[in-house]
Amino acid sequence: MQKPGTIGTRQFTILVTLITVGDSILILPAAVAKEASYDSWLSSIIGVLVGLAVIYLYCIISRLHQEHTLIGKNILIFGRWLGTALSIMFLFTLLINGSVYVRAIGDFMTAQILKETPSVAVVILLVACSLFGVRLGLETFARTSEIFYLWFVFTFLSFFFLLVPQFSLRNLQPVLENGLAPVISGSFSVIAYPYTELIVFLMITPFVDVPQKLTSAFLRGAIYGGICLITIILMTLLVLGPVLTATENFPSYSLAKRVHVGEFFQRQEAMMALMWFVSIYFKVVLYMYGFCVGIQQLLKLKEYQLLTYPTCLLFVVGAIILLPNETFLLQAYTFWPLFDFSVAVAYPLLLVVWYHIRQRLQNKPTPLQK
């Protein structure tokens, strides 16, 4: 297999942060508010804490056959046939999720900004831009993320401080009016959308230059991203209220429209959209990269660049066929957590359990016992 190079733990942390935020910064507040209403901020905190447990599970998996990606781990742990079948399932998941992210940004652009532009045009443009990042390789787009990360943080903090005067604590009351059930239900979306989707990082963990610091880097990135998501959910509740947050398709974008400083600094929703483009761009690039590298390893090819063009075509076709319109996309968010949990929680748990069973049968120490 062609060595893609290595990345530093700081670059890994930045990628985890950006991809944790990803498309969730726009869609997550509405999904949580529909379930938990006034208590959405509690759901976000619970979801982040449980999500960190999911990330720790991925850290454990990264230490199993540390020099291999998830595809290699599947073959070594489950055997050739079952491992190949599970690898195909995982790669199919990357294709489906990546197509959904591409379609989400296409529908957002045509619904909010470029209203006369066909969604397909935006989809093709995003995939074409992602193609450059994938072909240039892991080191290149990881270093690029460092440049955009500073701008992302500055923009996010600016929105927070500019909206503080519009906060209303009444929008958080009453607390636990309907008990814990809606809070727990709302937390599933917080766990599923940002955190279970980070399973794609198991395709690049072997290429981190200091493997001993991988767990701390992974958890730090997940915590930073979780803080961003908790903050954006809290901001939408404090400014828009639970009812408007639940009914808006993109409540955080509507939040940006509320920025108003004097008569000269207002309507900064374009900056909010640009901040979202940065995070979701790297998410699409990483999913495409993981898909290409996974196919390369299954077919035992020398390099993955040959697969980038057909992969782009698959992502475009998937975005058009899987999600025919925006209504279907919004309805898909109601059952999508079940799909994410089955692939990104149940399957990794099976992998860890099966690995330890095989090690016990062979009387070998596991990485956690060394």
Side-chain angles (χ1 to χ4, degrees):
M1 184 186 74
Q2 181 191 21
K3 184 71 173 178
T6 58
I7 60 175
T9 53
R10 182 179 65 178
Q11 295 166 347
F12 187 85
T13 299
I14 289 173
L15 282 174
V16 172
T17 303
L18 291 176
I19 291 169
T20 300
V21 175
D23 56 334
S24 302
I25 196 172
L26 278 184
I27 64 170
L28 193 59
V32 179
K34 288 176 182 178
E35 299 289 341
S37 188
Y38 293 93
D39 299 318
S40 297
W41 62 280
L42 285 174
S43 294
S44 65
I45 295 174
I46 294 173
V48 169
L49 293 176
V50 177
L52 293 178
V54 175
I55 299 306
Y56 188 71
L57 172 63
Y58 298 158
C59 294
I60 293 175
I61 294 175
S62 71
R63 298 200 293 267
L64 310 179
H65 302 294
Q66 196 166 4
E67 69 280 6
H68 292 277
T69 67
L70 186 57
I71 303 301
K73 298 179 197 294
N74 283 335
I75 305 299
L76 292 171
I77 294 173
F78 291 108
R80 178 182 177 185
W81 297 107
L82 180 57
T84 300
L86 290 173
S87 296
I88 292 173
M89 176 203 71
F90 172 70
L91 293 175
F92 186 67
T93 301
L94 294 186
L95 175 61
I96 292 177
N97 282 345
S99 300
V100 170
Y101 307 145
V102 171
R103 184 54 187 257
I105 198 169
D107 287 343
F108 168 78
M109 289 292 292
T110 54
Q112 302 291 335
I113 301 177
L114 304 175
K115 297 184 178 181
E116 300 298 326
T117 304
S119 179
V120 177
V122 180
V123 166
I124 293 175
L125 183 61
L126 173 62
V127 172
C129 293
S130 302
L131 172 64
F132 285 97
V134 176
R135 288 188 63 84
L136 290 173
L138 177 62
E139 285 188 348
T140 301
F141 69 76
R143 291 173 180 174
T144 305
S145 68
E146 292 185 275
I147 300 173
F148 285 97
Y149 182 69
L150 295 175
W151 180 86
F152 176 89
V153 172
F154 173 77
T155 307
F156 186 87
L157 292 176
S158 298
F159 274 116
F160 177 81
F161 289 113
L162 289 172
L163 287 169
V164 166
Q166 302 184 42
F167 287 179
S168 175
L169 294 178
R170 293 182 180 179
N171 291 332
L172 303 182
Q173 301 171 348
V175 178
L176 295 177
E177 180 183 20
N178 298 312
L180 280 174
V183 176
I184 301 300
S185 180
S187 67
F188 283 120
S189 296
V190 182
I191 303 168
Y193 291 135
Y195 287 109
T196 60
E197 294 170 352
L198 298 183
I199 191 174
V200 67
F201 279 96
L202 292 177
M203 293 300 296
I204 67 170
T205 50
F207 312 127
V208 177
D209 60 356
V210 186
Q212 297 81 4
K213 297 182 179 180
L214 177 64
T215 298
S216 62
F218 212 155
L219 289 173
R220 278 202 313 273
I223 291 171
Y224 297 158
I227 291 173
C228 289
L229 295 178
I230 293 173
T231 303
I232 200 69
I233 290 173
L234 188 60
M235 287 169 60
T236 53
L237 287 176
L238 289 171
V239 177
L240 301 178
V243 176
L244 192 56
T245 300
T247 54
E248 289 276 356
N249 292 337
F250 307 106
S252 55
Y253 183 74
S254 301
L255 191 68
K257 296 179 181 179
R258 302 294 185 97
V259 174
H260 187 91
V261 180
E263 296 297 330
F264 63 94
F265 193 81
Q266 52 190 328
R267 299 282 301 199
Q268 298 300 306
E269 59 269 25
M271 294 295 291
M272 178 68 180
L274 194 56
M275 182 173 65
W276 182 53
F277 295 160
V278 169
S279 60
I280 200 170
Y281 170 77
F282 286 103
K283 195 168 188 175
V284 172
V285 169
L286 187 59
Y287 266 75
M288 290 178 62
Y289 179 82
F291 183 82
C292 291
V293 171
I295 295 294
Q296 174 205 358
Q297 294 181 3
L298 279 182
L299 300 180
K300 298 182 179 179
L301 302 176
K302 292 183 178 180
E303 59 180 25
Y304 71 89
Q305 279 83 357
L306 295 173
L307 302 170
T308 53
Y309 291 109
T311 296
C312 287
L313 182 61
L314 286 174
F315 271 63
V316 171
V317 173
I320 297 171
I321 295 178
L322 293 175
L323 301 168
N325 51 59
E326 184 180 356
T327 302
F328 186 87
L329 174 64
L330 296 175
Q331 290 177 345
Y333 288 136
T334 60
F335 61 81
W336 209 265
L338 297 176
F339 173 73
D340 283 337
F341 275 111
S342 61
V343 174
V345 178
Y347 155 57
L349 283 173
L350 175 63
L351 188 146
V352 172
V353 171
W354 191 256
Y355 173 82
H356 284 280
I357 290 175
R358 290 193 60 174
Q359 295 298 100
R360 289 289 181 88
L361 293 176
Q362 298 173 6
N363 293 321
K364 293 181 179 180
T366 66
L368 298 181
Q369 294 172 335
K370 294 180 180 179

